[in-house]
Amino acid sequence: MEKKEYKCTAATKEALFDAIFALSKQKEYDKITIREICTYAGISIGSFYHHFKSKDDLAIEAYYQVDKLINEDFKELCKNKTPEENLYLILKSYIEYVSNEIGILIKTYYKLIMEETSVSAFEPERLYYKALTCILLECSKKGYIKENINVNEITEYCLRFLRRLIFDWSLHDGKYDLTKQFETDYCYLIQGLK
């Protein structure tokens, strides 16, 4: 593949994220080399090391791209919906991101975060976390969820719901339809919140 020139760091990183996602769908993570990632992305190995210390660092940051879900299109989509519909949309968008973009690379992410100290895409300062909290606050104000539930606690509960579902899917090597299972499990989640 011909080497590409990237004028900005964001474009280089995006190419590397795309490469690790695509290659992990073709072969096991442990068998993917940095050279293969760079060839697929069309960048030099030196450029790779300018941005990341290792393949593991790339995999962790690639997973963090979930914050991209909370973009202007998502905000526009939420404008004409009820808080309950927005809760469904934000949770489902995460599941679809894992299913469609990350795929079974999620197993590697879980392995890496268990080896690290406190690495998590669900930290309170992350954009996805903040957006979910705001939606749950609106759900509470409009009576879609019980009044006596602390919004920060319910945000954590919803994130555990996502982690549980995704972890189970990864334990099954992605052999079932994650989005379809989300639809079933979400019904139970929302009944419990009401």
Side-chain angles (χ1 to χ4, degrees):
M1 181 178 253
E2 186 177 307
K3 298 280 184 225
K4 300 175 190 167
E5 294 251 348
Y6 289 97
K7 296 186 180 181
C8 81
T9 300
T12 302
K13 284 185 164 187
E14 193 65 36
L16 290 167
F17 298 147
D18 291 345
I20 192 75
F21 289 152
L23 291 170
S24 68
K25 291 175 183 168
Q26 298 170 15
K27 62 199 281 187
E28 291 178 33
Y29 175 79
D30 291 339
K31 294 182 180 173
I32 299 170
T33 66
I34 290 175
R35 182 172 303 284
E36 287 174 306
I37 293 167
C38 292
T39 299
Y40 191 96
I43 65 159
S44 70
I45 292 176
S47 184
F48 175 93
Y49 283 110
H50 175 74
H51 298 291
F52 300 101
K53 293 178 188 172
S54 66
K55 179 175 71 169
D56 290 351
D57 285 346
L58 169 64
I60 288 170
E61 193 167 328
Y63 187 75
Y64 283 177
Q65 297 310 296
V66 69
D67 284 337
K68 291 187 317 187
L69 297 173
I70 312 304
N71 57 26
E72 291 306 314
D73 290 340
F74 182 81
K75 291 174 186 174
E76 189 63 33
L77 182 64
C78 289
K79 278 185 181 177
N80 300 321
K81 304 238 183 287
T82 67
E84 186 177 19
E85 290 170 326
N86 288 335
L87 177 59
Y88 170 81
L89 285 174
I90 196 168
L91 294 176
K92 185 176 181 184
S93 69
Y94 195 95
I95 291 296
E96 288 176 337
Y97 174 73
V98 169
S99 181
N100 300 332
E101 297 295 321
I102 297 175
I104 208 61
L105 181 63
I106 194 69
K107 288 178 90 165
T108 300
Y109 173 74
Y110 279 130
K111 179 182 172 195
L112 293 172
I113 62 170
M114 291 177 80
E115 291 171 355
E116 296 293 324
T117 51
S118 63
V119 178
S120 176
F122 292 131
E123 293 171 352
E125 68 276 358
R126 299 198 64 87
L127 187 57
Y128 185 88
Y129 189 105
K130 289 177 182 180
L132 177 57
T133 302
C134 287
I135 289 171
L136 286 165
L137 187 58
E138 284 301 308
C139 284
S140 180
K141 287 178 184 175
K142 300 283 185 182
Y144 289 112
I145 60 177
K146 297 173 190 171
E147 284 182 36
N148 62 342
I149 296 179
N150 177 296
V151 173
N152 292 326
E153 289 176 8
I154 202 63
T155 299
E156 290 292 328
Y157 178 79
C158 287
L159 295 174
R160 283 192 301 275
F161 164 78
L162 291 173
R163 277 192 293 259
R164 181 207 53 84
L165 182 56
I166 294 166
F167 187 74
D168 183 72
W169 181 72
S170 69
L171 286 175
H172 288 89
D173 290 321
K175 298 235 189 303
Y176 63 78
D177 186 328
L178 180 59
T179 305
K180 186 176 177 184
Q181 189 61 51
F182 165 79
E183 298 290 344
T184 301
D185 292 5
Y186 179 78
C187 292
Y188 295 115
L189 171 75
I190 204 66
Q191 286 173 6
L193 294 176
K194 290 181 176 180

